[in-house]
Amino acid sequence: MEYYTYQQYQESAAALQKKLGDFRPRVLLVLGSGLGGFADEIRQVAIVDYKDIPGMPVSTAPGHVGRFVFGYVEETPVVETFTVTLDANG
């Protein structure tokens, strides 16, 4: 298992702050299969690809875009991402 240093977390946070400015999400939406299209319903402020965040692993799962979508659902500031869970049998 790989662990991240405090410095790496700081670099990741700084990269996100640079892209987001004053926007601060209050809710994290982690969506799974069948709900990935929900991001289209978000009034988007920014989209940040995982590859643009220092230290963030890039997704290799089929169909996984590998990004965070920042914006609003109604008046609530949110960040959305998509996850894939594979069972032990593949």
Side-chain angles (χ1 to χ4, degrees), residues 15-89:
L16 285 171
Q17 286 175 340
K18 185 176 179 181
K19 293 183 180 294
L20 298 177
D22 292 334
F23 181 82
R24 296 293 180 266
R26 297 194 62 189
V27 175
L28 168 64
L29 302 171
V30 181
L31 306 179
S33 299
L35 294 173
F38 184 76
D40 297 333
E41 304 300 318
I42 296 172
R43 191 166 20 111
Q44 297 176 357
V45 170
I47 296 175
V48 181
D49 292 332
Y50 292 173
K51 67 178 178 55
D52 295 330
I53 302 170
M56 183 76 176
V58 177
S59 174
T60 58
H64 186 272
V65 181
R67 67 180 187 184
F68 291 110
V69 176
F70 296 88
Y72 293 89
V73 173
E74 295 184 4
E75 300 304 315
T76 303
V78 302
V79 56
E80 176 271 336
T81 191
F82 176 80
T83 188
V84 175
T85 303
L86 301 176
D87 65 35
N89 297 318

